[in-house]
Amino acid sequence: MTTSILETQALTKIYRSGDKTLTVLDNVNVTIQPGDTCAIVGPSGSGKTTLLGLCAGLDRASSGSVFLNGVRLDELTEDQRAEVRNQYVGFIFQSFNLMPSLTALENVMVPLELRGEKNVGKRALALLEKVGLAERKNHYPAQLSGGEQQRVSIARAFSNQPKILFADEPTGNLDEETGSHIEKLIFDLNKEASTTLVMVTHDMELAHKTQRIIQIKGGKIVQERLVNESVSARR
Ligand SMILES: Nc1ncnc2c1ncn2[C@@H]1O[C@H](COP(=O)(O)OP(=O)(O)OP(=O)(O)O)[C@@H](O)[C@H]1O
Ligand SMILES: [Mg+2]
């Protein structure tokens, strides 16, 4: 058991194709306290998206463990992991991952419906308003630009009021103005609801706005440094 919101122990992911193996994550140990903010940086292909997916319980490790809010994910079934995700996790995907057959509004409604909440349509619309997309609510993902799809994905990630938000290049496809608006929404979530933030980014300016920068290369953590005071240290 652990009091950390997120802890990985010797997390390893190996892909096999034929007789070749590719070690994408190699013994990664990360511990994040509730309410903290952290950036994961590193070159393309270094394992950042893979790490995020394992931490959020979207994928399974080859070995090692992930504890999310004290729950050991590798001991759970697929359904149980989905339940944990719905309960605690928001995820902004690098590739958006919207459901193509659902409108923008319906995509944001899904996590709320899964939780059996009330006034789902109204709340989803308010979230779309926050990301500046209310007037696009009836559009399907294919009718939206990349940046617009990213903003729907952000509204969806906010909808279940997650304890921890994983964001994979959340501002990567946005213009500067929209990007800084989204950045503010994400950091506000941290300030107002103490949502823990784990962000993958190539934007070092954004990384420096978090408390801790974890640099990975070839699937290993090569550097970890505090750049701002953490919430847990201030307590
Ligand atoms: N399903 C898979 N099968 C085989 N190899 C994979 C699979 N998914 C990812 N990889 C490999 O794992 C490595 C890490 O991928 P990952 O997506 O985690 O990188 P990344 O750091 O997020 O890169 P980027 O900055 O380009 O998004 C890459 O070499 C990739 O080719
Ligand atoms: Mg990636």
Side-chain angles (χ1 to χ4, degrees):
M1 270 314 230
T2 163
T3 54
S4 315
I5 181 86
L6 178 69
E7 183 170 343
T8 74
Q9 292 175 355
L11 197 63
T12 299
K13 180 74 178 180
I14 299 169
Y15 286 111
R16 291 191 171 79
S17 73
D19 55 358
K20 286 209 178 96
T21 62
L22 181 67
T23 304
V24 172
L25 284 181
D26 191 0
N27 270 294
V28 171
N29 298 300
V30 177
T31 304
I32 294 172
Q33 302 305 327
D36 280 358
T37 60
C38 149
I40 297 170
V41 302
S44 178
S46 57
K48 304 180 298 295
T49 296
T50 307
L51 176 60
L52 232 54
L54 291 177
C55 289
L58 291 162
D59 194 8
R60 297 191 88 139
S62 306
S63 63
S65 325
V66 176
F67 293 85
L68 191 70
N69 205 34
V71 179
R72 187 171 169 169
L73 295 185
D74 47 289
E75 288 175 340
L76 304 183
T77 65
E78 187 112 1
D79 284 353
Q80 287 169 326
R81 275 188 288 137
E83 176 66 28
V84 169
R85 279 202 305 277
N86 206 256
Q87 204 71 33
Y88 304 117
V89 176
F91 204 103
I92 301 170
F93 292 88
Q94 187 171 19
S95 50
F96 323 132
N97 276 28
L98 299 175
M99 302 222 209
S101 60
L102 301 183
T103 64
L105 186 72
E106 289 163 349
N107 265 285
V108 181
M109 285 164 64
V110 169
L112 293 166
E113 279 171 344
L114 283 173
R115 287 163 71 100
E117 302 212 356
K118 296 206 176 83
N119 298 322
V120 166
K122 212 171 139 191
R123 286 176 53 192
L125 185 59
L127 286 158
L128 278 184
E129 253 159 31
K130 267 199 163 182
V131 297
L133 274 185
E135 76 281 10
R136 292 279 192 283
K137 68 180 162 86
N138 293 324
H139 286 222
Y140 291 92
Q143 301 169 318
L144 297 169
S145 73
E148 287 168 346
Q149 289 179 57
Q150 187 155 34
R151 283 186 278 158
V152 175
S153 155
I154 289 164
R156 179 182 60 183
F158 283 8
S159 68
N160 61 344
Q161 296 168 298
K163 260 187 190 279
I164 182 162
L165 178 71
F166 295 99
D168 200 349
E169 289 282 354
T171 56
N173 293 281
L174 304 176
D175 63 85
E176 211 177 308
E177 195 185 328
T178 315
S180 49
H181 174 63
I182 294 302
E183 210 176 283
K184 186 174 179 311
L185 286 178
I186 292 175
F187 281 108
D188 281 353
L189 204 64
N190 171 256
K191 284 196 205 92
E192 288 158 16
S194 298
T195 304
T196 309
L197 303 180
V198 183
M199 245 185 295
V200 168
T201 184
H202 287 288
D203 177 351
M204 286 314 287
E205 208 177 308
L206 173 58
H208 275 91
K209 290 176 186 164
T210 67
Q211 287 144 359
R212 186 145 55 114
I213 301 181
I214 296 173
Q215 197 181 343
I216 70 171
K217 205 173 170 184
K220 287 188 168 116
I221 296 184
V222 291
Q223 195 185 52
E224 202 175 337
R225 60 203 162 108
L226 286 174
V227 286
N228 291 294
E229 196 187 7
S230 75
V231 172
S232 47
R234 261 184 267 140
R235 276 191 205 115

